[in-house]
C-alpha cells in the first residue's frame, strides 16, 4: 500500500522522499522470495498474487533496479488466460463508455 503515496510524491516531484528507500527495500525482499518460488502463498496462484501483480504492473513501482524474478512473476501473472480476459473485459467497458459519450455529444 505504501507504493500509492510514494507514487504520488514522485509524480509531484519529491523524488527523495523516505518512502522511496522503504519501497526499494520491500521490493528487494520480494525479489528474494520470488527467486525461490513461483507464487507468493500456498505454492499456487492466490488472491495475494492477484493483488501483488496489480501493484507490480506499474512500471514506476518496478523502476528501482534490476529484479528479474519480479519481472518474471509479473509476466506469469499477466499471461494467465483469466487475467487477459479480465483486462479485455475492462478495456471493452471503457471503450463502450467512450463510444456512448461520443454518440451523446454528436446528438
Amino acid at each position: 500500500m505504501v507504493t500509492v503515496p510514494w507514487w504520488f510524491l514522485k509524480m509531484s516531484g519529491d523524488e527523495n522522499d523516505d518512502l522511496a528507500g522503504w519501497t526499494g527495500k520491500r521490493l528487494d525482499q520480494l525479489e528474494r522470495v520470488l527467486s525461490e518460488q513461483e507464487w507468493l502463498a500456498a505454492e499456487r496462484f492466490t488472491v495475494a498474487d492477484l493483488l501483488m501483480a496489480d501493484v507490480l504492473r506499474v512500471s514506476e513501482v518496478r523502476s528501482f533496479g534490476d529484479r528479474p524474478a519480479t519481472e518474471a512473476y509479473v509476466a506469469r501473472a499477466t499471461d494467465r488466460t483469466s487475467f487477459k480476459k479480465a483486462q479485455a473485459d475492462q478495456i471493452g467497458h471503457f471503450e463502450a463508455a467512450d463510444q456512448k459519450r461520443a454518440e451523446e455529444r454528436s446528438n
Side-chain angles (χ1 to χ4, degrees), residues 35-50:
S35 69
E36 297 173 0
Q37 58 196 54
E38 187 175 22
W39 303 112
L40 292 177
E43 298 181 10
R44 62 185 172 82
F45 185 83
T46 66
V47 70
D49 299 297
L50 180 66

Side-chain angles (χ1 to χ4, degrees), residues 20-33:
W22 190 91
T23 301
K25 288 178 185 177
R26 300 299 77 78
L27 291 171
D28 287 342
Q29 290 174 325
L30 184 60
E31 176 70 11
R32 283 190 295 279
V33 168

Side-chain angles (χ1 to χ4, degrees), residues 40-79:
L40 292 177
E43 298 181 10
R44 62 185 172 82
F45 185 83
T46 66
V47 70
D49 299 297
L50 180 66
L51 296 170
M52 183 59 69
D54 195 48
V55 170
L56 293 174
R57 285 187 320 133
V58 177
S59 60
E60 289 291 326
V61 173
R62 296 191 328 268
S63 68
F64 283 88
D66 186 32
R67 293 186 178 86
T70 299
E71 293 300 319
Y73 172 76
V74 173
R76 277 193 305 279
T78 58
D79 195 40

